[in-house]
Amino acid sequence: MSYDLSLLGWTDSRAAELPAGTIPARVARVDRGAAEVIAADGQHHVKYAARVRRASAADPIALPCVGDWVAIRQLPEGRYELDEVLPRATAFIRGGVSRDSIGGLSGDGQGQVLAANVDIVFVAEPSMHSADFADLGRIERLVALAWESGGTPVVLITKSDLFEHGLDDLLADVRVAAPGIDVHAVSSLLGEGVELVGHYLGGSRTAVILGPSGAGKSTLVNALAGESVMETQQVRAADGRGRHTTVHRELIPLRGGGLVIDTPGIRRIGLYDIGEGVDLVFSDIEALADRCRFGDCGHNGEPGCAVLAALESGELPERRLESWRKLQREAAWMAARTDARLRKEQQNKWKLITKEMRRSGRNRP
């Protein structure tokens, strides 16, 4: 089967980045030390070249990821090898996962790329029965990372058919947690909102769907594709939540145009290299902070603090302020860990250089 790579997002500007003697392909799925890629002449299972393995050993972010454009080279025996990962236009990166550190972050400050070259980040949060609430903190965290990725976040409240009443109130709460971005209710089983979601994927645009297990991500992918391309399971009668079945990330071209990346459920969502993402998610708090008496106000009891005044008046929900503080602490911690790792790497580099210089001096006649 042949593919028109322009429908997968290939452009003339990317062609200029392609090394000589290679052909372009897009990563559809990643296995250990190998990847499934889509090239013009079809799909191929390719192993990583030695320099790709070396680069990813030094920095996990250099590992090929679903959505990446890569250069593959044909070997004499006819099979292909993944020769190089081309520069990413966007990358959704979370902090490394660990049970024993702040926010689920790894202690070494390294990250993991969940999806690359993505235009739209769909944050899927399942609606609950009326007695429960969406996890607004998780939405804020994912939206912050989506802004950092370079993609455009869109929040989808999935399984809206299971919500008994108060859906409009829930959507209003989510819009407060994710100011300035689109928020939609979707029922993939009933087809409600699916066409609207599909409008984000015209032409060769790529979207990734992120959210917890049981959010109905694979069911939504099937609805967008118009066929069963991802395995799903029935919801549990007790709580209306789905049993998670996706165990890998996969890029799926849609017949109507566009591409979507389905992902396994995310349990821990650590921040990584956060710049403006948190500020954009908490633009309401940032606007209040501009009205504080002191420019360096920490919003912890200082006189003339507009943020605390809004909290006391009820204009700013306490949950919102606590979530902002938590992400600010985590971003600062992550930056410190990253700086420490970089300093350590630089020290090791100079140790090796010094060792080689001493060895060279001993070997001189």
Side-chain angles (χ1 to χ4, degrees):
M1 179 179 180
S2 60
Y3 291 87
D4 180 351
L5 292 188
S6 67
L7 298 180
L8 302 183
W10 184 250
T11 61
D12 291 340
S13 60
R14 290 192 180 280
E17 301 167 345
L18 196 68
T22 64
I23 62 173
R26 195 162 191 194
V27 177
R29 179 174 170 176
V30 172
D31 297 315
R32 188 179 297 273
E36 297 290 335
V37 302
I38 304 174
D41 62 347
Q43 299 190 27
H44 302 281
H45 181 80
V46 296
K47 293 187 176 181
Y48 302 160
R51 64 174 176 171
V52 173
R53 295 196 300 271
R54 287 194 297 268
S56 59
D59 182 4
I61 289 178
L63 270 172
C65 175
V66 174
D68 269 328
W69 281 101
V70 296
I72 61 175
R73 188 182 302 275
Q74 190 167 25
L75 301 178
E77 60 268 30
R79 64 182 178 88
Y80 286 96
E81 184 177 64
L82 198 159
D83 190 68
E84 184 176 325
V85 177
L86 300 184
R88 293 163 175 152
T90 65
F92 190 100
I93 307 174
R94 69 169 173 178
V97 176
S98 171
R99 293 179 179 271
D100 303 321
S101 51
I102 294 177
L105 293 173
S106 64
D108 59 8
Q110 295 183 332
Q112 177 190 21
V113 184
L114 299 183
N117 300 311
V118 167
D119 303 292
I120 301 292
V121 179
F122 288 129
V123 175
E125 179 68 23
S127 59
M128 309 290 191
H129 296 290
S130 57
D132 297 316
F133 301 91
D135 189 333
L136 299 178
R138 178 167 56 212
I139 291 173
E140 289 164 342
R141 185 178 290 267
L142 279 171
V143 170
L145 287 171
W147 281 126
E148 289 296 329
S149 77
T152 300
V154 176
V155 176
L156 305 178
I157 301 302
T158 59
K159 302 185 179 183
S160 60
D161 54 295
L162 299 178
F163 206 88
E164 296 173 1
H165 57 79
L167 182 59
D168 289 341
D169 292 337
L170 171 61
L171 294 176
D173 288 343
V174 173
R175 290 189 177 102
V176 171
I181 71 173
D182 295 341
V183 178
H184 305 291
V186 178
S187 171
S188 300
L189 292 179
L190 299 182
E192 297 173 354
V194 174
E195 184 177 356
L196 188 152
V197 172
H199 287 163
Y200 289 94
L201 293 170
S204 60
R205 303 187 86 193
T206 300
V208 60
I209 306 179
L210 299 168
S213 298
K217 299 184 295 297
S218 296
T219 304
L220 177 58
V221 170
N222 289 341
L224 291 169
E227 58 181 319
S228 183
V229 293
M230 299 299 295
E231 183 183 355
T232 62
Q233 293 185 12
Q234 296 297 315
V235 298
R236 294 190 296 259
D239 57 7
R241 300 295 296 273
R243 297 181 181 88
H244 177 66
T245 53
T246 302
V247 295
H248 59 268
R249 294 183 291 278
E250 185 169 349
L251 177 73
I252 300 151
L254 303 176
R255 289 186 298 181
L259 305 98
V260 64
I261 298 174
D262 192 16
T263 64
I266 299 177
R267 294 182 180 178
R268 294 180 177 84
I269 312 152
L271 300 184
Y272 180 83
D273 195 23
I274 288 294
E276 296 183 352
V278 173
D279 293 343
L280 289 170
V281 173
F282 294 93
S283 57
D284 52 345
I285 295 179
E286 294 299 319
L288 288 169
D290 288 341
R291 304 195 327 240
C292 290
R293 181 184 302 177
F294 303 107
D296 60 349
C297 182
H299 321 309
N300 288 308
E302 296 89 341
C305 177
V307 173
L308 295 182
L311 185 67
E312 292 176 3
S313 69
E315 177 187 353
L316 179 66
E318 184 175 358
R319 185 213 64 81
R320 182 96 170 132
L321 180 58
E322 286 304 311
S323 182
W324 175 81
R325 285 171 170 162
K326 181 178 180 180
L327 292 188
Q328 289 286 346
R329 289 194 301 268
E330 187 175 320
W333 182 87
M334 189 66 197
R337 294 300 302 175
T338 300
D339 290 344
R341 177 173 61 86
L342 293 175
R343 286 196 300 270
K344 184 66 175 178
E345 290 175 353
Q346 192 70 13
Q347 289 172 358
N348 291 339
K349 176 182 176 181
W350 282 109
K351 284 181 180 178
L352 288 174
I353 292 174
T354 302
K355 185 176 180 180
E356 288 298 323
M357 291 175 65
R358 289 175 177 172
R359 182 181 300 169
S360 299
R362 287 197 300 268
N363 292 336
R364 289 177 182 173

